[in-house]
Amino acid sequence: MDSARRHHAPSPSHLRLTARRTLLRGGAGLAVAAGLAGASLLTGGGTASARPGHGRQMDRPRGPLAVDYPGAEWVPASSSNYTAADRPEQYPIDFVVIHVTQEFYDDTLAIFQNPDKAVSSHYVVRSADGHVAQVVREKNVAWHAGNWNYNTRSVGIEHEGWIDQPDQWFTDALYTASAALTADICRRHGIPVDRRHIIGHNEVPGADHTDPGPSWDWARYMKLVAAH
């Protein structure tokens, strides 16, 4: 995720262009945190140490069935954390941007539901079982890329985990579910299934993050996407 909406007429309450780690954990801005330079959209790049309550299902409001991807659960973000739009009529959708949360799944959803965070993506994929939550409709502009042009033209997918712990978080279930989601997005929007159009957050022009990190298996991922 990225809190920087960076569009032509931001409201005063959203002029903060801090990175996710500042928004989520009060970390040290956009710089390297805990040795993970720019790794996270959401947090300060801490490790996934055991924490009280991790693994419990958070209580969250259930919205209406209003998903673009049939396999997703609707867990709406705060309307303060994205820009309402009418895509693809208003903006073409040309890219899928792959992120890693540097945060737990339930905590990520809670961040997106917090109107003070000014950050969101369209989807979040859970590591353990590949469960997909949609938090922003694809017609709307999620604030995830840190580049307004790319925000308007992309769908953002967050993946639960930490980039320095790929064996723990980048599970078969996560890759498989995410690839199916990306394939569906590409099919519906006519996005070519290639690495020019399915990119990491680190590949967004001007990006200051390194997610999904060097251990994200792009060859495997693209093969799975192409298979759908």
Side-chain angles (χ1 to χ4, degrees), residues 94-97 186 190-199 222:
D94 299 323
F95 302 98
V96 176
V97 181
C186 289
I191 301 171
V193 178
D194 60 38
R195 286 285 285 114
R196 291 184 58 196
H197 297 87
I198 302 171
I199 62 174
M222 295 302 297

Side-chain angles (χ1 to χ4, degrees), residues 142-215:
W143 303 341
H144 64 99
N147 175 316
W148 177 244
N149 182 44
Y150 272 72
N151 277 346
T152 62
R153 299 166 58 205
S154 66
V155 173
I157 305 176
E158 288 281 354
H159 298 80
E160 180 187 23
W162 277 258
I163 69 171
D164 64 339
Q165 300 176 24
D167 292 341
Q168 178 178 350
W169 296 100
F170 298 171
T171 62
D172 291 344
L174 180 139
Y175 275 122
T176 300
S178 177
L181 170 60
T182 292
D184 187 75
I185 293 167
C186 289
R187 182 165 49 249
R188 287 186 284 104
H189 295 290
I191 301 171
V193 178
D194 60 38
R195 286 285 285 114
R196 291 184 58 196
H197 297 87
I198 302 171
I199 62 174
H201 184 203
N202 61 303
E203 296 171 303
V204 173
D208 57 355
H209 297 285
T210 63
D211 62 302
S215 296

Side-chain angles (χ1 to χ4, degrees), residues 22-92:
T22 300
L23 295 169
L24 301 186
R25 290 295 180 205
L30 300 174
V32 177
L36 300 177
S40 168
L41 310 172
L42 295 176
T43 70
T47 57
S49 57
R51 297 189 348 198
H54 173 51
R56 295 181 305 188
Q57 194 71 10
M58 65 181 285
D59 292 329
R60 53 181 178 262
R62 303 286 174 164
L65 181 61
V67 295
D68 297 295
Y69 180 59
E73 174 190 12
W74 178 237
V75 187
S78 168
S79 60
S80 297
N81 294 338
Y82 63 87
T83 298
D86 186 20
R87 304 192 306 169
E89 285 75 16
Q90 188 174 358
Y91 305 103

Side-chain angles (χ1 to χ4, degrees), residues 5 10-16 118:
R5 294 186 294 174
S11 64
S13 64
H14 289 106
L15 289 176
R16 46 193 177 277

